[in-house]
mmCIF file of all heavy atoms in Angstrom:
data_model
loop_
_atom_site.group_PDB
_atom_site.id
_atom_site.type_symbol
_atom_site.label_atom_id
_atom_site.label_comp_id
_atom_site.label_asym_id
_atom_site.label_seq_id
_atom_site.Cartn_x
_atom_site.Cartn_y
_atom_site.Cartn_z
ATOM 1 N N MET A 1225 9.689 12.549 6.113
ATOM 2 C CA MET A 1225 10.261 13.074 7.361
ATOM 3 C C MET A 1225 10.105 12.070 8.455
ATOM 4 O O MET A 1225 9.062 11.417 8.592
ATOM 5 C CB MET A 1225 9.480 14.372 7.638
ATOM 6 C CG MET A 1225 9.409 14.776 9.072
ATOM 7 S SD MET A 1225 8.266 16.182 9.263
ATOM 8 C CE MET A 1225 6.873 15.394 10.126
ATOM 9 N N TYR A 1226 11.163 11.966 9.257
ATOM 10 C CA TYR A 1226 11.070 11.054 10.426
ATOM 11 C C TYR A 1226 10.294 11.760 11.547
ATOM 12 O O TYR A 1226 10.591 12.877 11.908
ATOM 13 C CB TYR A 1226 12.454 10.673 10.933
ATOM 14 C CG TYR A 1226 13.056 9.484 10.196
ATOM 15 C CD1 TYR A 1226 13.927 9.620 9.169
ATOM 16 C CD2 TYR A 1226 12.559 8.162 10.500
ATOM 17 C CE1 TYR A 1226 14.412 8.537 8.475
ATOM 18 C CE2 TYR A 1226 13.017 7.091 9.807
ATOM 19 C CZ TYR A 1226 13.977 7.292 8.791
ATOM 20 O OH TYR A 1226 14.412 6.207 8.097
ATOM 21 N N VAL A 1227 9.299 11.056 12.018
ATOM 22 C CA VAL A 1227 8.530 11.575 13.200
ATOM 23 C C VAL A 1227 9.148 10.984 14.485
ATOM 24 O O VAL A 1227 9.352 11.639 15.463
ATOM 25 C CB VAL A 1227 7.065 11.143 13.089
ATOM 26 C CG1 VAL A 1227 6.307 11.501 14.384
ATOM 27 C CG2 VAL A 1227 6.408 11.867 11.894
ATOM 28 N N CYS A 1228 9.449 9.692 14.400
ATOM 29 C CA CYS A 1228 9.954 8.953 15.578
ATOM 30 C C CYS A 1228 11.347 8.389 15.246
ATOM 31 O O CYS A 1228 11.470 7.466 14.421
ATOM 32 C CB CYS A 1228 8.978 7.788 15.912
ATOM 33 S SG CYS A 1228 9.573 6.773 17.230
ATOM 34 N N LEU A 1229 12.371 8.967 15.895
ATOM 35 C CA LEU A 1229 13.724 8.534 15.636
ATOM 36 C C LEU A 1229 14.058 7.241 16.343
ATOM 37 O O LEU A 1229 14.833 6.439 15.874
ATOM 38 C CB LEU A 1229 14.718 9.621 16.034
ATOM 39 C CG LEU A 1229 14.670 10.872 15.186
ATOM 40 C CD1 LEU A 1229 15.628 11.934 15.738
ATOM 41 C CD2 LEU A 1229 15.007 10.574 13.750
ATOM 42 N N CYS A 1230 13.452 7.033 17.455
ATOM 43 C CA CYS A 1230 13.731 5.778 18.272
ATOM 44 C C CYS A 1230 13.362 4.523 17.463
ATOM 45 O O CYS A 1230 14.085 3.552 17.434
ATOM 46 C CB CYS A 1230 12.978 5.743 19.580
ATOM 47 S SG CYS A 1230 13.558 6.969 20.775
ATOM 48 N N VAL A 1231 12.194 4.555 16.865
ATOM 49 C CA VAL A 1231 11.647 3.347 16.192
ATOM 50 C C VAL A 1231 11.784 3.501 14.657
ATOM 51 O O VAL A 1231 11.749 2.506 13.937
ATOM 52 C CB VAL A 1231 10.174 3.145 16.619
ATOM 53 C CG1 VAL A 1231 9.608 1.870 15.997
ATOM 54 C CG2 VAL A 1231 10.056 3.092 18.094
ATOM 55 N N GLY A 1232 12.075 4.748 14.168
ATOM 56 C CA GLY A 1232 12.216 4.922 12.736
ATOM 57 C C GLY A 1232 10.920 4.987 11.984
ATOM 58 O O GLY A 1232 10.701 4.333 10.986
ATOM 59 N N VAL A 1233 9.965 5.802 12.514
ATOM 60 C CA VAL A 1233 8.650 5.936 11.895
ATOM 61 C C VAL A 1233 8.561 7.277 11.177
ATOM 62 O O VAL A 1233 8.946 8.320 11.756
ATOM 63 C CB VAL A 1233 7.532 5.878 12.975
ATOM 64 C CG1 VAL A 1233 6.167 6.032 12.331
ATOM 65 C CG2 VAL A 1233 7.609 4.569 13.739
ATOM 66 N N THR A 1234 8.096 7.255 9.921
ATOM 67 C CA THR A 1234 8.008 8.461 9.128
ATOM 68 C C THR A 1234 6.530 8.971 9.102
ATOM 69 O O THR A 1234 5.592 8.222 9.448
ATOM 70 C CB THR A 1234 8.485 8.230 7.689
ATOM 71 O OG1 THR A 1234 7.578 7.291 7.071
ATOM 72 C CG2 THR A 1234 9.893 7.679 7.654
ATOM 73 N N ASP A 1235 6.395 10.220 8.610
ATOM 74 C CA ASP A 1235 5.031 10.753 8.413
ATOM 75 C C ASP A 1235 4.253 9.856 7.405
ATOM 76 O O ASP A 1235 3.057 9.635 7.573
ATOM 77 C CB ASP A 1235 5.033 12.201 7.979
ATOM 78 C CG ASP A 1235 5.902 12.476 6.785
ATOM 79 O OD1 ASP A 1235 6.643 11.575 6.357
ATOM 80 O OD2 ASP A 1235 5.860 13.607 6.248
ATOM 81 N N ARG A 1236 4.948 9.309 6.430
ATOM 82 C CA ARG A 1236 4.317 8.432 5.459
ATOM 83 C C ARG A 1236 3.808 7.118 6.106
ATOM 84 O O ARG A 1236 2.748 6.649 5.814
ATOM 85 C CB ARG A 1236 5.278 8.111 4.316
ATOM 86 C CG ARG A 1236 4.668 7.134 3.368
ATOM 87 C CD ARG A 1236 5.110 7.309 1.929
ATOM 88 N NE ARG A 1236 5.090 8.650 1.455
ATOM 89 C CZ ARG A 1236 4.437 9.018 0.351
ATOM 90 N NH1 ARG A 1236 3.768 8.100 -0.334
ATOM 91 N NH2 ARG A 1236 4.464 10.233 -0.061
ATOM 92 N N ASP A 1237 4.595 6.601 7.071
ATOM 93 C CA ASP A 1237 4.178 5.411 7.766
ATOM 94 C C ASP A 1237 2.866 5.672 8.521
ATOM 95 O O ASP A 1237 1.960 4.807 8.553
ATOM 96 C CB ASP A 1237 5.247 4.952 8.813
ATOM 97 C CG ASP A 1237 6.511 4.470 8.163
ATOM 98 O OD1 ASP A 1237 6.426 3.879 7.052
ATOM 99 O OD2 ASP A 1237 7.584 4.631 8.742
ATOM 100 N N ILE A 1238 2.754 6.869 9.115
ATOM 101 C CA ILE A 1238 1.544 7.200 9.858
ATOM 102 C C ILE A 1238 0.384 7.374 8.900
ATOM 103 O O ILE A 1238 -0.718 6.913 9.145
ATOM 104 C CB ILE A 1238 1.764 8.471 10.743
ATOM 105 C CG1 ILE A 1238 2.782 8.138 11.842
ATOM 106 C CG2 ILE A 1238 0.474 8.966 11.313
ATOM 107 C CD1 ILE A 1238 3.243 9.320 12.674
ATOM 108 N N ALA A 1239 0.618 8.068 7.784
ATOM 109 C CA ALA A 1239 -0.412 8.276 6.726
ATOM 110 C C ALA A 1239 -0.872 6.902 6.204
ATOM 111 O O ALA A 1239 -2.090 6.681 6.005
ATOM 112 C CB ALA A 1239 0.063 9.135 5.627
ATOM 113 N N ASN A 1240 0.020 5.984 6.033
ATOM 114 C CA ASN A 1240 -0.320 4.638 5.584
ATOM 115 C C ASN A 1240 -1.197 3.909 6.595
ATOM 116 O O ASN A 1240 -2.125 3.170 6.253
ATOM 117 C CB ASN A 1240 0.927 3.765 5.252
ATOM 118 C CG ASN A 1240 1.595 4.249 3.974
ATOM 119 O OD1 ASN A 1240 1.007 4.924 3.147
ATOM 120 N ND2 ASN A 1240 2.864 3.869 3.800
ATOM 121 N N ALA A 1241 -0.846 4.053 7.878
ATOM 122 C CA ALA A 1241 -1.657 3.431 8.937
ATOM 123 C C ALA A 1241 -3.074 3.967 8.908
ATOM 124 O O ALA A 1241 -4.059 3.210 9.035
ATOM 125 C CB ALA A 1241 -0.991 3.705 10.299
ATOM 126 N N VAL A 1242 -3.200 5.313 8.701
ATOM 127 C CA VAL A 1242 -4.548 5.900 8.600
ATOM 128 C C VAL A 1242 -5.280 5.364 7.326
ATOM 129 O O VAL A 1242 -6.451 4.991 7.400
ATOM 130 C CB VAL A 1242 -4.456 7.449 8.570
ATOM 131 C CG1 VAL A 1242 -5.776 8.058 8.185
ATOM 132 C CG2 VAL A 1242 -3.970 7.972 9.925
ATOM 133 N N SER A 1243 -4.578 5.280 6.205
ATOM 134 C CA SER A 1243 -5.169 4.719 5.021
ATOM 135 C C SER A 1243 -5.661 3.290 5.232
ATOM 136 O O SER A 1243 -6.657 2.851 4.689
ATOM 137 C CB SER A 1243 -4.151 4.644 3.850
ATOM 138 O OG SER A 1243 -3.718 5.861 3.537
ATOM 139 N N ASP A 1244 -4.916 2.559 6.103
ATOM 140 C CA ASP A 1244 -5.282 1.208 6.374
ATOM 141 C C ASP A 1244 -6.356 1.084 7.441
ATOM 142 O O ASP A 1244 -6.724 -0.042 7.837
ATOM 143 C CB ASP A 1244 -4.066 0.408 6.790
ATOM 144 C CG ASP A 1244 -3.099 0.144 5.634
ATOM 145 O OD1 ASP A 1244 -3.510 0.346 4.459
ATOM 146 O OD2 ASP A 1244 -1.897 -0.201 5.902
ATOM 147 N N GLY A 1245 -6.833 2.228 7.946
ATOM 148 C CA GLY A 1245 -8.015 2.182 8.824
ATOM 149 C C GLY A 1245 -7.801 2.662 10.267
ATOM 150 O O GLY A 1245 -8.766 2.737 11.004
ATOM 151 N N ALA A 1246 -6.557 3.017 10.623
ATOM 152 C CA ALA A 1246 -6.363 3.488 11.967
ATOM 153 C C ALA A 1246 -7.047 4.856 12.172
ATOM 154 O O ALA A 1246 -6.935 5.716 11.353
ATOM 155 C CB ALA A 1246 -4.854 3.645 12.249
ATOM 156 N N ARG A 1247 -7.798 5.030 13.252
ATOM 157 C CA ARG A 1247 -8.526 6.248 13.507
ATOM 158 C C ARG A 1247 -8.297 6.782 14.879
ATOM 159 O O ARG A 1247 -8.934 7.758 15.283
ATOM 160 C CB ARG A 1247 -10.043 5.972 13.327
ATOM 161 C CG ARG A 1247 -10.468 5.877 11.870
ATOM 162 C CD ARG A 1247 -10.222 7.170 11.140
ATOM 163 N NE ARG A 1247 -10.576 7.083 9.726
ATOM 164 C CZ ARG A 1247 -9.759 6.625 8.755
ATOM 165 N NH1 ARG A 1247 -8.548 6.203 9.077
ATOM 166 N NH2 ARG A 1247 -10.118 6.554 7.531
ATOM 167 N N SER A 1248 -7.359 6.205 15.610
ATOM 168 C CA SER A 1248 -7.021 6.751 16.939
ATOM 169 C C SER A 1248 -5.537 6.690 17.098
ATOM 170 O O SER A 1248 -4.834 5.904 16.423
ATOM 171 C CB SER A 1248 -7.722 5.940 18.039
ATOM 172 O OG SER A 1248 -7.146 4.625 18.086
ATOM 173 N N TRP A 1249 -5.004 7.448 18.056
ATOM 174 C CA TRP A 1249 -3.588 7.476 18.303
ATOM 175 C C TRP A 1249 -3.140 6.081 18.769
ATOM 176 O O TRP A 1249 -2.082 5.573 18.436
ATOM 177 C CB TRP A 1249 -3.223 8.544 19.331
ATOM 178 C CG TRP A 1249 -1.789 8.606 19.708
ATOM 179 C CD1 TRP A 1249 -1.286 8.553 20.944
ATOM 180 C CD2 TRP A 1249 -0.655 8.720 18.823
ATOM 181 N NE1 TRP A 1249 0.106 8.623 20.917
ATOM 182 C CE2 TRP A 1249 0.503 8.725 19.632
ATOM 183 C CE3 TRP A 1249 -0.527 8.818 17.492
ATOM 184 C CZ2 TRP A 1249 1.772 8.843 19.090
ATOM 185 C CZ3 TRP A 1249 0.736 8.878 16.905
ATOM 186 C CH2 TRP A 1249 1.882 8.895 17.706
ATOM 187 N N ARG A 1250 -3.980 5.421 19.569
ATOM 188 C CA ARG A 1250 -3.650 4.065 20.010
ATOM 189 C C ARG A 1250 -3.475 3.103 18.847
ATOM 190 O O ARG A 1250 -2.509 2.301 18.770
ATOM 191 C CB ARG A 1250 -4.740 3.497 20.979
ATOM 192 C CG ARG A 1250 -4.376 2.212 21.630
ATOM 193 C CD ARG A 1250 -5.440 1.802 22.650
ATOM 194 N NE ARG A 1250 -6.732 1.653 22.100
ATOM 195 C CZ ARG A 1250 -7.164 0.575 21.413
ATOM 196 N NH1 ARG A 1250 -6.366 -0.475 21.308
ATOM 197 N NH2 ARG A 1250 -8.347 0.504 20.953
ATOM 198 N N GLU A 1251 -4.415 3.209 17.896
ATOM 199 C CA GLU A 1251 -4.280 2.304 16.699
ATOM 200 C C GLU A 1251 -3.022 2.653 15.882
ATOM 201 O O GLU A 1251 -2.353 1.742 15.386
ATOM 202 C CB GLU A 1251 -5.553 2.438 15.865
ATOM 203 C CG GLU A 1251 -6.752 1.826 16.473
ATOM 204 C CD GLU A 1251 -8.049 2.115 15.733
ATOM 205 O OE1 GLU A 1251 -8.095 3.077 14.935
ATOM 206 O OE2 GLU A 1251 -8.989 1.353 15.919
ATOM 207 N N VAL A 1252 -2.717 3.940 15.734
ATOM 208 C CA VAL A 1252 -1.518 4.311 14.988
ATOM 209 C C VAL A 1252 -0.288 3.795 15.703
ATOM 210 O O VAL A 1252 0.641 3.292 15.085
ATOM 211 C CB VAL A 1252 -1.437 5.834 14.788
ATOM 212 C CG1 VAL A 1252 -0.089 6.254 14.213
ATOM 213 C CG2 VAL A 1252 -2.559 6.272 13.853
ATOM 214 N N ARG A 1253 -0.247 3.906 16.974
ATOM 215 C CA ARG A 1253 0.851 3.413 17.780
ATOM 216 C C ARG A 1253 1.026 1.917 17.636
ATOM 217 O O ARG A 1253 2.137 1.380 17.469
ATOM 218 C CB ARG A 1253 0.696 3.735 19.257
ATOM 219 C CG ARG A 1253 0.981 5.154 19.593
ATOM 220 C CD ARG A 1253 0.987 5.400 21.081
ATOM 221 N NE ARG A 1253 1.973 4.597 21.773
ATOM 222 C CZ ARG A 1253 2.307 4.709 23.037
ATOM 223 N NH1 ARG A 1253 1.664 5.605 23.794
ATOM 224 N NH2 ARG A 1253 3.199 3.920 23.565
ATOM 225 N N GLU A 1254 -0.084 1.196 17.698
ATOM 226 C CA GLU A 1254 -0.017 -0.245 17.571
ATOM 227 C C GLU A 1254 0.478 -0.676 16.227
ATOM 228 O O GLU A 1254 1.199 -1.639 16.087
ATOM 229 C CB GLU A 1254 -1.418 -0.852 17.871
ATOM 230 C CG GLU A 1254 -1.784 -0.839 19.318
ATOM 231 C CD GLU A 1254 -3.221 -1.278 19.574
ATOM 232 O OE1 GLU A 1254 -3.937 -1.630 18.624
ATOM 233 O OE2 GLU A 1254 -3.595 -1.281 20.740
ATOM 234 N N THR A 1255 0.051 0.099 15.180
ATOM 235 C CA THR A 1255 0.421 -0.256 13.797
ATOM 236 C C THR A 1255 1.874 0.069 13.492
ATOM 237 O O THR A 1255 2.565 -0.704 12.832
ATOM 238 C CB THR A 1255 -0.538 0.446 12.816
ATOM 239 O OG1 THR A 1255 -1.843 0.107 13.152
ATOM 240 C CG2 THR A 1255 -0.257 0.018 11.374
ATOM 241 N N THR A 1256 2.308 1.267 13.928
ATOM 242 C CA THR A 1256 3.606 1.739 13.494
ATOM 243 C C THR A 1256 4.697 1.558 14.532
ATOM 244 O O THR A 1256 5.878 1.559 14.201
ATOM 245 C CB THR A 1256 3.570 3.268 13.190
ATOM 246 O OG1 THR A 1256 3.216 3.977 14.404
ATOM 247 C CG2 THR A 1256 2.534 3.554 12.131
ATOM 248 N N GLY A 1257 4.334 1.436 15.800
ATOM 249 C CA GLY A 1257 5.316 1.374 16.880
ATOM 250 C C GLY A 1257 5.774 2.759 17.328
ATOM 251 O O GLY A 1257 6.607 2.904 18.233
ATOM 252 N N CYS A 1258 5.164 3.821 16.687
ATOM 253 C CA CYS A 1258 5.559 5.198 17.034
ATOM 254 C C CYS A 1258 5.315 5.490 18.525
ATOM 255 O O CYS A 1258 4.315 5.037 19.093
ATOM 256 C CB CYS A 1258 4.742 6.169 16.161
ATOM 257 S SG CYS A 1258 5.255 7.873 16.226
ATOM 258 N N ALA A 1259 6.274 6.180 19.122
ATOM 259 C CA ALA A 1259 6.190 6.569 20.540
ATOM 260 C C ALA A 1259 6.283 5.391 21.491
ATOM 261 O O ALA A 1259 5.892 5.459 22.626
ATOM 262 C CB ALA A 1259 4.954 7.382 20.847
ATOM 263 N N GLY A 1260 6.870 4.299 20.997
ATOM 264 C CA GLY A 1260 7.001 3.120 21.804
ATOM 265 C C GLY A 1260 8.199 3.165 22.759
ATOM 266 O O GLY A 1260 8.313 2.292 23.631
ATOM 267 N N GLN A 1261 9.096 4.128 22.601
ATOM 268 C CA GLN A 1261 10.259 4.186 23.473
ATOM 269 C C GLN A 1261 10.255 5.456 24.290
ATOM 270 O O GLN A 1261 9.570 5.564 25.293
ATOM 271 C CB GLN A 1261 11.531 3.957 22.632
ATOM 272 C CG GLN A 1261 11.532 2.526 22.095
ATOM 273 C CD GLN A 1261 12.844 2.204 21.396
ATOM 274 O OE1 GLN A 1261 13.876 2.745 21.735
ATOM 275 N NE2 GLN A 1261 12.811 1.248 20.481
ATOM 276 N N CYS A 1262 10.997 6.520 23.873
ATOM 277 C CA CYS A 1262 11.117 7.686 24.712
ATOM 278 C C CYS A 1262 9.807 8.502 24.798
ATOM 279 O O CYS A 1262 9.560 9.206 25.754
ATOM 280 C CB CYS A 1262 12.242 8.565 24.249
ATOM 281 S SG CYS A 1262 11.873 9.593 22.784
ATOM 282 N N GLY A 1263 8.990 8.425 23.738
ATOM 283 C CA GLY A 1263 7.714 9.107 23.731
ATOM 284 C C GLY A 1263 7.736 10.581 23.325
ATOM 285 O O GLY A 1263 6.704 11.221 23.260
ATOM 286 N N LYS A 1264 8.932 11.111 23.041
ATOM 287 C CA LYS A 1264 9.033 12.526 22.678
ATOM 288 C C LYS A 1264 8.344 12.861 21.346
ATOM 289 O O LYS A 1264 8.058 14.007 21.093
ATOM 290 C CB LYS A 1264 10.512 12.942 22.590
ATOM 291 C CG LYS A 1264 11.162 13.056 23.945
ATOM 292 C CD LYS A 1264 12.603 13.464 23.812
ATOM 293 C CE LYS A 1264 13.253 13.552 25.181
ATOM 294 N NZ LYS A 1264 14.733 13.675 25.080
ATOM 295 N N CYS A 1265 8.103 11.894 20.535
ATOM 296 C CA CYS A 1265 7.475 12.074 19.240
ATOM 297 C C CYS A 1265 5.947 12.097 19.291
ATOM 298 O O CYS A 1265 5.306 12.276 18.278
ATOM 299 C CB CYS A 1265 7.941 11.016 18.271
ATOM 300 S SG CYS A 1265 7.563 9.357 18.929
ATOM 301 N N ALA A 1266 5.383 11.891 20.447
ATOM 302 C CA ALA A 1266 3.932 11.670 20.527
ATOM 303 C C ALA A 1266 3.150 12.886 19.997
ATOM 304 O O ALA A 1266 2.199 12.731 19.234
ATOM 305 C CB ALA A 1266 3.504 11.360 21.952
ATOM 306 N N CYS A 1267 3.553 14.101 20.383
ATOM 307 C CA CYS A 1267 2.802 15.328 19.938
ATOM 308 C C CYS A 1267 2.873 15.446 18.402
ATOM 309 O O CYS A 1267 1.847 15.666 17.776
ATOM 310 C CB CYS A 1267 3.388 16.561 20.572
ATOM 311 S SG CYS A 1267 2.640 16.918 22.151
ATOM 312 N N THR A 1268 4.083 15.315 17.841
ATOM 313 C CA THR A 1268 4.201 15.384 16.423
ATOM 314 C C THR A 1268 3.434 14.238 15.713
ATOM 315 O O THR A 1268 2.727 14.476 14.739
ATOM 316 C CB THR A 1268 5.693 15.312 16.029
ATOM 317 O OG1 THR A 1268 6.374 16.345 16.760
ATOM 318 C CG2 THR A 1268 5.889 15.570 14.506
ATOM 319 N N GLY A 1269 3.564 13.075 16.285
ATOM 320 C CA GLY A 1269 2.852 11.920 15.704
ATOM 321 C C GLY A 1269 1.343 12.097 15.633
ATOM 322 O O GLY A 1269 0.680 11.827 14.637
ATOM 323 N N LYS A 1270 0.806 12.635 16.760
ATOM 324 C CA LYS A 1270 -0.638 12.895 16.787
ATOM 325 C C LYS A 1270 -1.014 13.933 15.755
ATOM 326 O O LYS A 1270 -2.083 13.809 15.090
ATOM 327 C CB LYS A 1270 -1.081 13.371 18.165
ATOM 328 C CG LYS A 1270 -1.093 12.264 19.221
ATOM 329 C CD LYS A 1270 -1.511 12.818 20.561
ATOM 330 C CE LYS A 1270 -1.159 11.845 21.658
ATOM 331 N NZ LYS A 1270 -1.376 12.446 22.982
ATOM 332 N N SER A 1271 -0.216 15.031 15.601
ATOM 333 C CA SER A 1271 -0.510 16.045 14.587
ATOM 334 C C SER A 1271 -0.523 15.447 13.198
ATOM 335 O O SER A 1271 -1.412 15.746 12.378
ATOM 336 C CB SER A 1271 0.513 17.187 14.670
ATOM 337 O OG SER A 1271 0.453 17.835 15.865
ATOM 338 N N VAL A 1272 0.453 14.631 12.907
ATOM 339 C CA VAL A 1272 0.562 13.974 11.606
ATOM 340 C C VAL A 1272 -0.660 13.091 11.383
ATOM 341 O O VAL A 1272 -1.280 13.094 10.299
ATOM 342 C CB VAL A 1272 1.874 13.221 11.449
ATOM 343 C CG1 VAL A 1272 1.877 12.388 10.199
ATOM 344 C CG2 VAL A 1272 3.049 14.167 11.443
ATOM 345 N N MET A 1273 -1.069 12.360 12.424
ATOM 346 C CA MET A 1273 -2.231 11.490 12.310
ATOM 347 C C MET A 1273 -3.491 12.314 12.040
ATOM 348 O O MET A 1273 -4.274 11.940 11.121
ATOM 349 C CB MET A 1273 -2.407 10.735 13.639
ATOM 350 C CG MET A 1273 -3.660 9.865 13.657
ATOM 351 S SD MET A 1273 -4.099 9.305 15.285
ATOM 352 C CE MET A 1273 -4.752 10.834 15.986
ATOM 353 N N ARG A 1274 -3.698 13.420 12.750
ATOM 354 C CA ARG A 1274 -4.895 14.276 12.558
ATOM 355 C C ARG A 1274 -4.934 14.799 11.152
ATOM 356 O O ARG A 1274 -5.982 14.829 10.500
ATOM 357 C CB ARG A 1274 -4.941 15.396 13.568
ATOM 358 C CG ARG A 1274 -5.267 14.925 14.966
ATOM 359 C CD ARG A 1274 -5.613 16.106 15.873
ATOM 360 N NE ARG A 1274 -5.419 15.679 17.249
ATOM 361 C CZ ARG A 1274 -4.395 16.054 17.992
ATOM 362 N NH1 ARG A 1274 -3.455 16.834 17.531
ATOM 363 N NH2 ARG A 1274 -4.274 15.597 19.242
ATOM 364 N N GLU A 1275 -3.763 15.254 10.662
ATOM 365 C CA GLU A 1275 -3.680 15.788 9.309
ATOM 366 C C GLU A 1275 -4.052 14.687 8.301
ATOM 367 O O GLU A 1275 -4.849 14.951 7.352
ATOM 368 C CB GLU A 1275 -2.237 16.282 9.073
ATOM 369 C CG GLU A 1275 -2.001 16.839 7.692
ATOM 370 C CD GLU A 1275 -2.662 18.178 7.454
ATOM 371 O OE1 GLU A 1275 -3.017 18.872 8.453
ATOM 372 O OE2 GLU A 1275 -2.847 18.518 6.286
ATOM 373 N N ALA A 1276 -3.537 13.494 8.501
ATOM 374 C CA ALA A 1276 -3.834 12.407 7.575
ATOM 375 C C ALA A 1276 -5.296 12.025 7.595
ATOM 376 O O ALA A 1276 -5.928 11.814 6.533
ATOM 377 C CB ALA A 1276 -2.974 11.198 7.939
ATOM 378 N N ILE A 1277 -5.901 12.039 8.790
ATOM 379 C CA ILE A 1277 -7.344 11.719 8.904
ATOM 380 C C ILE A 1277 -8.176 12.794 8.183
ATOM 381 O O ILE A 1277 -9.127 12.491 7.505
ATOM 382 C CB ILE A 1277 -7.760 11.539 10.359
ATOM 383 C CG1 ILE A 1277 -7.152 10.247 10.924
ATOM 384 C CG2 ILE A 1277 -9.286 11.503 10.500
ATOM 385 C CD1 ILE A 1277 -7.373 10.083 12.420
ATOM 386 N N SER A 1278 -7.774 14.067 8.366
ATOM 387 C CA SER A 1278 -8.521 15.155 7.739
ATOM 388 C C SER A 1278 -8.454 15.090 6.219
ATOM 389 O O SER A 1278 -9.333 15.666 5.538
ATOM 390 C CB SER A 1278 -8.030 16.493 8.258
ATOM 391 O OG SER A 1278 -6.815 16.840 7.621
ATOM 392 N N GLN A 1279 -7.484 14.408 5.687
ATOM 393 C CA GLN A 1279 -7.359 14.308 4.241
ATOM 394 C C GLN A 1279 -7.950 13.055 3.687
ATOM 395 O O GLN A 1279 -7.907 12.788 2.478
ATOM 396 C CB GLN A 1279 -5.882 14.365 3.837
ATOM 397 C CG GLN A 1279 -5.285 15.766 4.094
ATOM 398 C CD GLN A 1279 -3.809 15.842 3.776
ATOM 399 O OE1 GLN A 1279 -3.198 14.908 3.324
ATOM 400 N NE2 GLN A 1279 -3.238 16.990 4.015
ATOM 401 N N GLU A 1280 -8.542 12.227 4.561
ATOM 402 C CA GLU A 1280 -9.169 10.953 4.065
ATOM 403 C C GLU A 1280 -10.432 11.258 3.270
ATOM 404 O O GLU A 1280 -11.157 12.175 3.550
ATOM 405 C CB GLU A 1280 -9.568 10.057 5.296
ATOM 406 C CG GLU A 1280 -8.368 9.311 5.792
ATOM 407 C CD GLU A 1280 -7.906 8.155 4.921
ATOM 408 O OE1 GLU A 1280 -8.685 7.184 4.812
ATOM 409 O OE2 GLU A 1280 -6.833 8.222 4.352
HETATM 410 FE FE1 FES L 302 9.550 8.148 19.105
HETATM 411 FE FE2 FES L 302 11.499 8.204 20.881
HETATM 412 S S1 FES L 302 11.268 9.463 19.158
HETATM 413 S S2 FES L 302 9.765 6.936 20.899
#
């Protein structure tokens, strides 16, 4: 599923960033580029990140 349409970031991209060690929204943003433009995806992106971290 696409989380960020501006940059083209999927939930899997976010999960991969977490697998690679990202543990904060800032780190996920830096790794994936998510929320780098309009920012409307930030809430969904954070939820996906928290879910991925909880499954680590
Ligand atoms: Fe992610 Fe616009 S949808 S920055």
Side-chain angles (χ1 to χ4, degrees):
M1225 151 188 111
Y1226 274 100
V1227 173
C1228 176
L1229 292 176
C1230 291
V1231 185
V1233 180
T1234 65
D1235 53 351
R1236 175 149 313 234
D1237 292 329
I1238 292 174
N1240 286 342
V1242 169
S1243 298
D1244 290 344
R1247 286 295 178 276
S1248 68
W1249 178 234
R1250 186 175 60 83
E1251 288 173 339
V1252 169
R1253 283 186 61 172
E1254 286 173 1
T1255 304
T1256 63
C1258 192
Q1261 292 188 27
C1262 77
K1264 286 181 182 167
C1265 56
C1267 273
T1268 306
K1270 284 179 197 172
S1271 296
V1272 171
M1273 177 196 74
R1274 285 193 204 104
E1275 179 72 19
I1277 289 172
S1278 75
Q1279 290 177 3
E1280 280 286 293

